[in-house]
Structures are given as structure tokens and as C-alpha cells.
């Protein structure tokens, strides 16, 4: 089962003894800062938790199943956050 953002914020507030508003602001600040670091091609590492970084996916050929012809992929290189 997945925990949604709202449920996660509720748990943060309960565990930390803070308001839900403060928990939401803290989580949003964390995510924003994490994305800013990754957009600057910096790796963010937390011991015993994980590493966050941007990964560039190279463009690749696609094909139409009906005519089986190779065609250039619509998207070129794409940067994606990875964990």
C-alpha cells in the first residue's frame, strides 16, 4: 500500500508534534530544495537512505506495430530524477 502526500504530512505532524501546516511547508521545502540541487546536476546523498540524482535518458528509435518500420523517437534526450 502506498502512502499519499497528505497521509505522509499527517504522520509527520503527529510524530513531530507540529501542525499539519508546518509539516506540509517543511516537506514542500525539502522537495523543492532537492529538485533545485538535482537540476544543478548535483547528487544528493543521505546516509542509510539513498542517493538522488538526475539521469539523462538517450533518445531511441520507436516503431509502429502496424508497419514495423523504425522511426525516430519523438522525444530527444530527457533528464529525469532518479532515486
Amino acid at each position: 500500500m502506498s502512502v499519499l502526500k497528505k497521509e505522509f504530512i499527517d504522520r509527520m505532524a503527529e510524530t513531530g508534534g507540529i501542525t499539519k501546516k508546518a509539516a506540509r511547508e517543511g516537506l514542500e521545502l525539502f522537495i523543492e530544495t532537492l529538485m533545485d540541487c538535482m537540476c544543478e546536476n548535483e547528487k544528493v546523498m543521505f546516509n542509510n537512505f539513498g542517493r538522488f540524482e538526475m539521469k539523462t535518458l538517450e533518445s531511441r528509435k520507436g516503431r509502429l506495430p502496424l508497419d514495423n518500420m523504425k522511426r525516430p523517437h519523438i522525444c530527444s534526450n530527457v533528464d529525469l530524477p532518479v532515486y
Side-chain angles (χ1 to χ4, degrees):
M1 185 172 148
S2 298
V3 176
L4 300 176
K5 183 178 177 182
K6 182 186 180 314
E7 295 165 339
F8 190 79
I9 289 170
D10 291 344
R11 278 195 200 177
M12 282 179 59
E14 184 179 324
T15 304
I18 58 176
T19 64
K20 290 180 183 180
K21 181 180 178 182
R24 185 181 68 250
E25 289 172 353
L27 180 61
E28 289 174 355
L29 180 61
F30 170 77
I31 293 170
E32 182 181 330
T33 305
L34 181 65
M35 293 301 292
D36 287 344
C37 290
M38 289 191 305
C39 286
E40 294 172 4
N41 290 324
E42 295 178 288
K43 293 179 186 176
V44 179
M45 297 189 301
F46 296 105
N47 291 336
N48 301 320
F49 185 71
R51 178 178 72 191
F52 300 86
E53 63 183 313
M54 293 297 271
K55 181 177 181 181
T56 301
L57 296 179
E58 302 294 326
S59 61
R60 56 192 167 113
K61 299 279 184 181
R63 70 176 182 86
L64 292 174
L66 297 176
D67 61 11
N68 206 22
M69 292 180 59
K70 297 281 184 179
R71 299 178 190 254
H73 198 270
I74 295 173
C75 298
S76 56
N77 296 345
V78 178
D79 290 331
L80 297 173
V82 293
Y83 167 71

